[in-house]
């Protein structure tokens, strides 16, 4: 890349972003003004609430029945609560936040009248006094309305008062028996000794709050410049001019990326400064309560600050690249804001992971985007340093950013993406009368269906499986089939083109069978590898399946586990989704996207890589054969082998001894690898050759 041109492009991008006063306001005014306003406004509200609580008075009625003891005792206890006795070491009487006022009227109160008064909020609580028949103990029944705040508060106060009465009466009885009440009531003494330093306590508190603030501020800081440099430039009509200049796409992308990342980091630092000043003010404000900044060694936080800055830098690279990839698909500023909303929700929800106490930053979690940054900052602020984990988190975010930038460069190489040609919108939301018959779904429809089906599988599918077991699995597969089919019919798309419902040569079926057996061998090796990397997920992956299969015969299980997914999942992934993606993306990108989505749908880390790999083989077969049917056969065979192994393990072990060995040796692994690669190569070669023959015959027919 040419340094002078890149410098000029970066300057141009900065000027474009800073011309937008809204973006500048979000970057500067929000952290420097909004946070202090929120803080001081919250303090003012809390002060008003506290002053109001000091004057709160709750009205209660205590039932008085002749011959039943306990009335005078609770009245005395309420009076003592309202007017506590002053101890000798107290200079001023203790302030009472909530007082109880016993309503005294000339009327006789009963339960029905009290309930009516409670519902009308004329009183806040009603106390009934009875005597138990067995041992003559006094029973106080507190009647209140939990849905009314004052009534609930009054009941809580009464409960604490009666507990004190109970404690005092217990002590009196024990003392009358000549025993020490404190020893009898508390035979075991608990003494907590917290050896955590003030630095550790402060760091732990910051570790829960700071990661969330940082990732949100980075997202907000990068969101608006990312939208402006991508969708905003399309909307202004300046992208065409930029692409005609003697600069490469890499130089354009690099300049945009540097601009967005720099602004994101600047915004995050402003947020940190603003929050730091507020925190310092809070410490000074409560200095009279014994908290002092002098008692905390700020120097001990220097390593944590350094690592936090590095984490902010790498996360800024990652989130900048991701936001630019998403907003690059939008045609306008408004559309980009709609696209970025799901990312905002995902980042915010993931940021809450720092508040969850039992999640540790291990080597597996260190690879999870967003969560790894939050947990890393939380750990280092709690003085937990692991150089290996820190390196994994930082390097993985840089790799993710690089992959996103690579994907962004592919976007800028595609005119169909940059200058939308009507293949990306969600046609489902358009008027049906405006829809034209034929064609395949748009990428917008495909992404929409991916989200809808995933939500349906997660919620409704889980409920069906809990209620109906294996029958619920069949119901889930029918949802996967019917939801996209309804969209195809409603939007008037071509069933034949969308689902690749074409006849194909027997050679393609043979190639698919060869390919799936090779993929099965490599899939076993992948599963073994991922099981070692994610042992916790691997141990829990098969338990639920075994429970679902209990009590069902081989034919029914084969139908549900092998045949139904072979039809329903293939029509969704290699039919609906692949046809939509192929109308806009290149073949390689389409196969990768379909495979990744297919892997994600199986909701298991240990199964993701194997499932995505098998999905890629199925997508390659669908691409070259131009038909959905070979992939259905491959999918059926893959699942049927697993079902056969579960029902007939002895026969399977004899037929395929190399697949039944849970801990194969080096020789077995090498054999499986080379045979798998050979079978896949043979299968793909047959598909490619057959595809060329079909194209050649088509050209000859056109010439004739």
């Amino acid at each position: 890349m040419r340094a002078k041109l890149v410098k000029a492009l970066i300057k141009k991008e900065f000027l474009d972003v800073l011309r937008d006063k809204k973006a500048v306001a979000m970057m500067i005014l929000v952290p420097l003004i909004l946070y202090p306003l929120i803080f001081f406004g919250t303090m003012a509200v809390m002060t008003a609430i506290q002053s109001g609580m000091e004057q709160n008075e709750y009205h209660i009625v205590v039932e008085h029945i002749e011959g039943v003891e306990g009335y005078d005792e609770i009245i005395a206890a309420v009076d003592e609560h309202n007017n506590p006795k002053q101890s000798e070491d107290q200079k001023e009487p203790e302030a009472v936040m909530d007082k109880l006022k016993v309503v005294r009227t000339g009327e006789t109160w009963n339960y029905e009248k009290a309930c009516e008064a409670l519902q009308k909020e004329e009183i806040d609580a009603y106390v009934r006094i009875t005597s138990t028949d067995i041992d003559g103990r006094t029973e106080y029944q507190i009647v209140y309305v939990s849905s009314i705040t004052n009534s609930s508060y009054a009941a809580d106060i009464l409960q604490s008062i009666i507990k004190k009465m109970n404690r005092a009466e217990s002590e009196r009885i024990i003392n009358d028996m000549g025993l020490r009440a404190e020893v009898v009531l508390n035979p075991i003494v608990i003494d907590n000794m917290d050896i955590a330093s003030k630095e550790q306590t402060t760091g732990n508190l910051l570790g829960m709050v700071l990661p969330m603030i940082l990732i949100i501020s980075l997202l907000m800081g990068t969101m608006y410049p990312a939208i402006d440099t991508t969708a905003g430039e399309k909307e202004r009509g300046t992208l065409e001019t930029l692409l005609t200049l003697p600069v490469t796409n890499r130089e354009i992308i690099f300049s945009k990326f540097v601009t967005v990342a720099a602004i994101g980091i600047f915004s995050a630092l402003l947020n940190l400064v603003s929050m730091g000043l507020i925190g310092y003010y809070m410490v000074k404000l409560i200095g009279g309560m014994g908290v002092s900044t002098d008692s905390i060694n700020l120097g001990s936080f220097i390593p944590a600050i350094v690592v936090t800055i590095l984490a902010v830098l790498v996360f800024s690279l990652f989130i900048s690249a991701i936001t630019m990839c998403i907003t690059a698909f939008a045609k306008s500023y408004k559309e980009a804001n709609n696209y970025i909303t799901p990312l905002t929700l995902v980042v915010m929800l993931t940021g809450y992971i720092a508040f969850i106490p039992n999640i540790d930053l291990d080597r597996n979690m260190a690879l999870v985007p967003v969560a790894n940054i939050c947990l890393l900052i939380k750990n280092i602020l709690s003085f937990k340093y692991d150089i290996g984990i820190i390196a994994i988190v930082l390097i993985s975010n840089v790799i993710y950013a690089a992959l996103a930038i690579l994907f962004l460069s592919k976007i800028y190489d595609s005119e169909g993406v940059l200058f939308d040609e009507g293949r990306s919108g969600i046609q489902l939301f358009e008027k049906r009368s405006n829809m034209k018959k034929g064609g395949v779904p748009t990428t917008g429809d495909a992404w929409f269906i991916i989200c809808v089906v995933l939500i349906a599988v997660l919620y409704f599918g889980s409920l069906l499986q809990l209620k109906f077991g294996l029958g619920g699995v069949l119901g889930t597969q029918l949802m996967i089939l019917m939801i996209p089919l309804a969209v195809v019919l409603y939007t008037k798309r071509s069933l034949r083109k969308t689902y690749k419902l074409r006849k194909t040569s027997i050679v393609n079926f043979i190639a698919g069978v060869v390919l799936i057996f090779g993929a099965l061998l490599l899939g076993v090796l992948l599963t073994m590898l991922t099981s070692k990397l994610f042992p916790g997920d691997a141990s829990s992956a098969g338990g639920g399946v075994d429970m679902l299969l209990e009590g069902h015969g081989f034919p029914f299980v084969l139908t549900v586990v092998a045949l139904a997914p072979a039809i329903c999942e293939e029509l969704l992934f290699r039919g609906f989704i692949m046809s939509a993606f192929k109308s806009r993306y290149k073949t390689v990108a389409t196969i990768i996207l379909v495979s990744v989505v297919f892997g994600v749908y199986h909701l298991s880390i240990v199964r993701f890589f194997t499932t995505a790999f098998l999905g890629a083989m199925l997508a390659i077969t669908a691409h070259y054969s131009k038909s959905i049917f070979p992939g259905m056969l491959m999918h059926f065979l893959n699942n049927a082998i697993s079902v056969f192994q579960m029902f007939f393990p002895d026969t399977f072990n004899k037929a395929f001894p190399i697949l039944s060995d849970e801990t194969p040796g080096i020789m077995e692994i090498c054999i499986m690898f080379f045979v798998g690669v050979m079978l896949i190569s043979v299968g793909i070669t047959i598909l490619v050759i057959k595809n060329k023959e079909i194209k050649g015959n088509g050209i000859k027919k056109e010439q004739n």
Side-chain angles (χ1 to χ4, degrees), residues 39 43 279-293:
F39 172 71
M43 286 189 61
Y280 182 77
Y281 175 78
M282 288 179 64
V283 172
K284 288 297 183 181
L285 188 65
I286 60 176
M289 301 171 61
V291 180
S292 171
T293 54

Side-chain angles (χ1 to χ4, degrees), residues 103-153:
V103 178
R104 289 184 173 90
T105 64
E107 302 175 8
T108 302
W109 285 85
N110 54 39
Y111 177 74
E112 289 75 16
K113 180 182 176 182
C115 289
E116 184 179 350
L118 283 168
Q119 294 290 352
K120 293 181 179 179
E121 300 188 41
E122 295 174 353
I123 61 173
D124 298 312
Y126 175 64
V127 182
R128 303 176 73 188
I129 307 173
T130 59
S131 180
T132 58
D133 296 332
I134 300 174
D135 48 22
R137 290 184 298 169
T138 303
E139 178 182 350
Y140 294 94
Q141 185 181 59
I142 304 171
V143 184
Y144 68 104
V145 184
S146 61
S147 59
I148 299 175
T149 303
N150 283 356
S151 183
S152 182
Y153 282 170

Side-chain angles (χ1 to χ4, degrees), residues 498-510:
T498 300
Y499 289 117
K500 300 182 179 68
L501 302 176
R502 304 182 182 93
K503 292 181 180 180
T504 188
S505 170
I506 190 67
V507 175
N508 287 328
F509 284 97
I510 296 172

Side-chain angles (χ1 to χ4, degrees), residues 498-502 504 509 566-567 569-576 622 625-633:
T498 300
Y499 289 117
K500 300 182 179 68
L501 302 176
R502 304 182 182 93
T504 188
F509 284 97
I567 296 173
E569 292 181 8
E570 285 307 303
L571 288 174
L572 171 63
F573 293 102
R574 263 64 62 177
F576 186 99
S625 67
K626 304 293 189 297
S627 173
I628 198 73
F629 299 115
M632 286 183 176
L633 176 61

Side-chain angles (χ1 to χ4, degrees), residues 4-21:
K4 289 185 178 180
L5 280 176
V6 171
K7 185 178 179 180
L9 287 171
I10 292 174
K11 182 179 179 181
K12 173 256 180 192
E13 296 295 342
F14 268 107
L15 290 175
D16 285 344
V17 172
L18 295 177
R19 282 195 195 101
D20 188 352
K21 296 181 180 179

Side-chain angles (χ1 to χ4, degrees), residues 119-246:
Q119 294 290 352
K120 293 181 179 179
E121 300 188 41
E122 295 174 353
I123 61 173
D124 298 312
Y126 175 64
V127 182
R128 303 176 73 188
I129 307 173
T130 59
S131 180
T132 58
D133 296 332
I134 300 174
D135 48 22
R137 290 184 298 169
T138 303
E139 178 182 350
Y140 294 94
Q141 185 181 59
I142 304 171
V143 184
Y144 68 104
V145 184
S146 61
S147 59
I148 299 175
T149 303
N150 283 356
S151 183
S152 182
Y153 282 170
D156 290 340
I157 298 168
L158 281 168
Q159 189 174 25
S160 65
I161 290 173
I162 295 172
K163 283 182 179 180
K164 288 181 181 179
M165 293 171 57
N166 184 59
R167 173 81 181 195
E169 183 64 15
S170 300
E171 291 177 353
R172 185 191 65 77
I173 294 172
I174 294 171
N175 289 331
D176 290 346
M177 295 171 64
L179 301 173
R180 289 180 59 192
E182 183 62 30
V183 175
V184 174
L185 294 175
N186 302 295
I188 298 175
V189 179
I190 301 174
D191 184 16
N192 294 322
M193 182 179 291
D194 185 7
I195 62 172
S197 63
K198 290 186 177 180
E199 290 79 11
Q200 288 176 311
T201 304
T202 304
N204 185 58
L205 180 62
L206 289 174
M208 289 190 293
V209 179
L210 190 61
M212 182 72 172
I213 296 173
L214 276 176
I215 64 168
I216 294 300
S217 60
L218 275 169
L219 177 61
M220 293 298 135
T222 57
M223 181 189 304
Y224 294 98
I227 293 174
D228 187 80
T229 57
T230 53
E233 197 157 42
K234 290 183 188 179
E235 193 172 22
R236 291 191 298 269
T238 58
L239 181 60
E240 294 88 340
T241 305
L242 182 63
L243 293 174
T244 59
L245 297 176

Side-chain angles (χ1 to χ4, degrees), residues 26 42 77 89 94 111 167 186 229 250 296 409 412 445 451 514 614 642 673 685:
M26 289 298 298
T42 303
D89 57 345
E94 183 181 349
Y111 177 74
R167 173 81 181 195
N186 302 295
T229 57
R250 285 193 305 165
I296 299 176
S409 66
Y412 271 74
D445 288 327
C451 296
V514 173
L614 292 174
S642 299
F673 177 77
T685 302

